[in-house]
Amino acid sequence: MPTAFSQEINNCVEVLKNGGLILYPTDTVWGIGCDATNKEAVKKVYDLKNREDSKALICLVGNDGMLEKHVENVPDLAYDLIDLSTKPTTIIYDHPKGIAKNLVASDNTLAIRVASDKFCQYLINKFRKPIVSTSANISGQPTPKSFDEISSAILKGVDYVVNLQPEHQNSVPSSIIKLSNDGTVKVIRE
């Protein structure tokens, strides 16, 4: 692993452990991240984005094992969606567990994506906890398609900015699919 890459991972883990916010490249767009199990850190994200905490955020996990640790019952269909999706896909699950309460939607659901890019996977696996992933914009503003479009308010509002280019120049948000435990499947965003 290149030294710069390792250093960025270590810097991020240190900030996350201390309840700070990072700005990092994800498998979709640049994201604001924090420890998804830390209520105070999650509140900082809502504050930075000027967003009500009733609008839930996405959470990234590093692998299926971490997903299973934070969702009471992962429907079998979820594994097919994760394996067969041609683009990053976020799934909304019923009954999350071990996550900051202010990250969970009022209907007791949570949007989780198994990270598909190398940086996020290494970061999450080294941190050993899920991290928040929300677009790097103030609520209501357009999602930045590149680092150059990220506002100075966001850049100044985070504790650490990752100094790496995204692995994928995707710049589109993930698909979002809601999988309920009763078998209902609903596409929220294609």
Side-chain angles (χ1 to χ4, degrees):
M1 194 180 340
T3 313
F5 187 89
S6 298
Q7 191 57 54
E8 290 299 325
I9 298 281
N10 292 337
N11 292 348
C12 287
V13 167
E14 208 47 48
V15 171
L16 294 170
K17 280 182 179 172
N18 291 311
L21 305 186
I22 60 170
L23 181 65
Y24 67 110
T26 73
D27 47 2
T28 57
V29 295
W30 276 85
I32 301 168
C34 72
D35 177 350
T37 67
N38 180 329
K39 189 177 179 184
E40 288 73 32
V42 172
K43 184 180 181 327
K44 289 181 195 174
V45 174
Y46 286 121
D47 291 347
L48 178 58
K49 287 182 67 83
N50 292 330
R51 187 171 177 174
E52 297 169 39
D53 64 10
S54 59
K55 292 198 187 260
L57 303 171
I58 291 173
C59 181
L60 291 183
V61 294
N63 52 48
D64 291 353
M66 190 178 283
L67 172 66
E68 291 158 4
K69 185 177 171 190
H70 292 285
V71 175
E72 220 167 80
N73 176 33
V74 179
D76 289 341
L77 179 57
Y79 299 106
D80 293 337
L81 288 171
I82 292 164
D83 293 343
L84 302 174
S85 292
T86 55
K87 72 179 235 179
T89 300
T90 301
I91 300 174
I92 300 173
Y93 297 93
D94 290 336
H95 309 298
K97 58 185 184 176
I99 295 291
K101 293 285 178 238
N102 54 346
L103 198 55
V104 178
S106 55
D107 62 354
N108 198 25
T109 60
L110 179 62
I112 301 177
R113 184 165 73 249
V114 177
S116 58
D117 76 306
K118 193 168 64 176
F119 180 78
C120 289
Q121 285 178 336
Y122 275 92
L123 172 60
I124 296 163
N125 289 330
K126 177 138 191 181
F127 185 53
R128 303 176 97 116
K129 293 183 199 174
I131 60 174
V132 165
S133 176
T134 182
S135 55
N137 60 317
I138 304 294
S139 200
Q141 300 292 315
T143 299
K145 296 204 182 314
S146 69
F147 184 83
D148 297 338
E149 293 179 17
I150 298 170
S151 75
S152 61
I154 296 290
L155 292 169
K156 288 179 192 148
V158 297
D159 299 293
Y160 186 74
V161 178
V162 172
N163 187 22
L164 291 174
Q165 288 302 311
E167 185 180 332
H168 306 285
Q169 297 295 336
N170 234 354
S171 74
V172 288
S174 66
S175 301
I176 300 179
I177 298 170
K178 184 171 187 180
L179 284 188
S180 300
N181 285 346
D182 65 6
T184 310
V185 178
K186 183 177 178 188
V187 177
I188 309 290
R189 180 172 71 199
E190 284 190 47

